[in-house]
Amino acid sequence: MKKISLLLAIVFCFSLVGCGKDTAPAALESTDSVETNQSTEIPEDTASEDFAETPDSVDNEEAEEDDGSYWLSGYLKSSEKDKSGEPDEYGVIQPIIYVAKIDGDSLIIEGTTNFRNEESQDPVGMGPGDYAEFIITDETVFQMVGGEYGPETVTKEEFAGYLESCADSGILLDLKITGEKVTIAKIRS
């Protein structure tokens, strides 16, 4: 009985192998045609309008993020002009602004400032120092930052008054500059 079972198993295996050979080329042909169809469909998908718009929208988002803006900041310390740009006791260069005022449609600062590409970034360098004059527009946002309730938006005149009263306070002046224009001016306590 074992011999018959073994013989039947061998015959069954050979019949499967034989069947596989007859259908294998057909299976390969159908697989090749599927792969060929898929490969021809992929370029068509990449040429579709949806795909073509995606890179442009990514470029536009990057362009909006990289609008040439940067942040300058320094501590308002009018009595420490001689320390502006000098290293402190730890060797860190002090970003001290000894003059900060609004004159008409200009924001004038004198002193050394920190430079950042983004507001939340740590300083990556020092501003050119000494004297800088930036343009104030109707779109410039003036804010007082600190306290429990978040930033308070103020008028240009109110901000000018705060700059004058904080001239030697050690409070941080933080400016977002786009081109030569001030887009955001903040006094941070």
Side-chain angles (χ1 to χ4, degrees):
M1 188 74 170
K2 286 184 177 182
K3 290 182 181 180
I4 294 176
S5 298
L6 181 62
L7 183 61
L8 285 175
I10 292 173
V11 169
F12 182 72
C13 288
F14 281 118
S15 66
L16 289 177
V17 171
C19 291
K21 287 183 180 178
D22 291 338
T23 59
L28 285 175
E29 289 172 15
S30 65
T31 304
D32 290 341
S33 65
V34 169
E35 288 175 8
T36 304
N37 289 341
Q38 286 177 352
S39 66
T40 57
E41 289 177 12
I42 291 172
E44 290 173 14
D45 288 343
T46 58
S48 72
E49 289 181 25
D50 292 338
F51 185 79
E53 288 177 12
T54 303
D56 292 339
S57 63
V58 170
D59 290 341
N60 289 340
E61 288 172 12
E62 289 174 6
E64 287 174 12
E65 289 176 14
D66 186 17
D67 60 356
S69 296
Y70 59 94
W71 289 83
L72 292 179
S73 60
Y75 296 98
L76 299 171
K77 295 182 180 180
S78 62
S79 64
E80 298 187 15
K81 179 179 180 176
D82 59 325
K83 294 182 182 179
S84 181
E86 294 297 317
D88 62 10
E89 63 270 10
Y90 303 107
V92 178
I93 295 180
Q94 299 179 67
I96 295 175
I97 297 173
Y98 47 86
V99 172
K101 63 182 178 182
I102 292 177
D103 185 14
D105 287 334
S106 296
L107 176 68
I108 299 167
I109 60 170
E110 293 181 43
T112 306
T113 56
N114 281 329
F115 172 82
R116 304 182 319 274
N117 294 312
E118 300 172 12
E119 182 176 16
S120 60
Q121 183 180 31
D122 288 334
V124 294
M126 300 300 288
D130 291 337
Y131 180 86
E133 186 171 343
F134 301 103
I135 300 166
I136 296 173
T137 66
D138 292 337
E139 289 81 33
T140 302
V141 176
F142 298 97
Q143 293 181 331
M144 302 300 294
V145 181
E148 298 176 14
Y149 302 109
E152 175 188 355
T153 302
V154 296
T155 66
K156 179 173 87 169
E157 293 75 22
E158 290 171 321
F159 195 82
Y162 288 126
L163 271 179
E164 189 176 324
S165 67
C166 296
D168 200 28
S169 65
I171 292 177
L172 186 71
L173 175 63
D174 205 7
L175 306 172
K176 182 177 183 183
I177 309 297
T178 304
E180 295 179 9
K181 298 176 183 175
V182 178
T183 52
I184 301 173
K186 297 181 180 186
I187 295 178
R188 297 180 180 267
S189 59

